[in-house]
Each structure stands twice: as structure tokens, then as C-alpha cells.
Amino acid sequence: MAPQISPSILSADFARLAEEAKAVEGADWLHVDVMDNHFVPNLTLGVPVVESLARATDTPLDCHLMIEAPDRWAPQYVEAGAGSVTFHVEAATAPVRLAREIRAKGARASMALRPATPIEPYEDLLPELDMLLIMTVEPGFGGQAFLDIMLPKIRRTRELISRHGLELWLQVDGGVSASTIERCADAGADVFVAGSAVYGASDPAEAVRALRKQAEASMAKASWLHDH
């Protein structure tokens, strides 16, 4: 199991998105934060920008929908070219149906939890998903400090995934950097969203490689990978 790095274009220069996408071509995914100023207090970009980005880069798009009514909107992001679409369980009316619709349209289905949302009530939904996103900051803004109190939740989520024998990716998003990625990997995460840690670096591609190396080193020693 190899770690995956997903740079967040929320921290990129929006006037140069095509170039910013090329600057991280060694990344596994390009993380696209979609915010509607309702579910979160910020407004970013939508379907037309995702369509344009999908044409401008070969890196698959990982769309994180921080929006109300994802049941209505999420399928459009698959049609726009997203390879993975994440909806928030707090906003979804019918998460199982939505995950199945995203998968049926050909993308990976992912569900996100805000920091205060526990994983346990959703244990039975896990087989319907390809990825679970644990937010390690409150969604809505880039550049926030990592919440260490989320590490036990990452561990509990990884234990549930292992218990059910699922091939489910576990993503973390928020404050992931050189100083926090190893703790996330040790706790059970294997997909890492990094915004300012990548796009704030002088060489974003090198930042991606360095983060990957750190995550690999931490996962090589992680008990969750080797005790099962």
C-alpha cells in the first residue's frame, strides 16, 4: 500500500490554474475544493472550472464538495471529468444512493466527515465507498492549523476499515505538512491532501516528493499496516 499525495489547488494561484496543475505533475491527484458559501462560509469554484482543469492536466481530479445538496450536484462533477468525488455526509440526504450514483457514472465515491462528526454511526456505509475523508480542520478555508485531536478518530476509522477487510482509502485534509504528515500516516491515513505545504513551497513538485517520502517512511513502521 503506497501513500498518495493530493495537492489542493485552494492554495494555488487561481489566475494560473493550468500552470499550477502542471507544477505538481508527480502528484497522484489534484484536490479541487468546491465551496458554495452555504455549507461552508467561503465560495470557490464549480463545474465549469473542473471541466477546464480536466482538459488541462493528466493528473486525475479529486473533487471535495463542501456544498449543500450534494445529492443533486455531485453527479455533475463526475460528468465534468472528476476521477473521485467526495460529498459531506452532513449535507447528503441519501449517502448510499449518492455513492452508488457516483460509482455508476465511473468515478470513485468518497464521503467526508467534519471534525465533530463521529465515524461510528456510518460503519455500515463503508462498503459503499472507495474513500473516506477525515477533515483535520473545519472545512471552509485553506491554511488552517492541523487539529491533533483528530488522530484518534483516524485510528478508529482505520480499525473499522481493517475489521471489515475493505480496500478503502483513508484521506486526511487540513493542515497536512512536513510536520504533521507522519502522524497522520502512523494513525492510518494513506491519502494526504496538502495545500500551502505544496503550493507555498518554492518547488511544488519537490514538496510533493518530500511529503510522499515522509509518508512512506511512517507507513513502513505503522502498526495498522503490519499487525493485521
Side-chain angles (χ1 to χ4, degrees), residues 101-121:
E101 191 175 353
I102 291 168
R103 281 175 152 182
K105 284 185 175 290
R108 295 179 63 87
S110 169
M111 188 173 83
L113 307 180
R114 297 180 92 140
T117 305
I119 179 59
E120 287 76 11

Side-chain angles (χ1 to χ4, degrees), residues 175-196:
V176 175
S177 67
S179 60
T180 57
I181 193 166
E182 291 175 22
R183 277 175 279 163
C184 295
D186 181 66
D190 55 1
V191 185
F192 307 89
V193 177
S196 33

Side-chain angles (χ1 to χ4, degrees), residues 29-132:
W29 296 87
L30 200 59
H31 191 82
V32 182
D33 288 302
V34 177
M35 306 182 193
D36 64 356
N37 204 26
H38 294 286
F39 182 69
V40 291
N42 199 356
L43 188 65
T44 55
L45 39 81
V47 168
V49 174
V50 171
E51 282 179 339
S52 300
L53 258 180
R55 287 195 297 270
T57 180
D58 292 329
T59 308
L61 303 184
D62 166 27
C63 286
H64 176 193
L65 308 184
M66 290 169 266
I67 62 173
E68 289 181 354
D71 303 75
R72 176 182 174 191
W73 299 111
Q76 292 186 26
Y77 285 87
V78 186
E79 290 161 12
S84 175
V85 176
T86 302
F87 59 88
H88 269 265
V89 71
E90 303 89 354
T93 308
V96 171
R97 185 174 67 204
L98 179 54
R100 289 180 176 180
E101 191 175 353
I102 291 168
R103 281 175 152 182
K105 284 185 175 290
R108 295 179 63 87
S110 169
M111 188 173 83
L113 307 180
R114 297 180 92 140
T117 305
I119 179 59
E120 287 76 11
Y122 304 105
E123 181 177 351
D124 293 342
L125 272 65
L126 296 181
E128 299 289 338
L129 303 169
D130 298 295
M131 183 168 76
L132 192 86

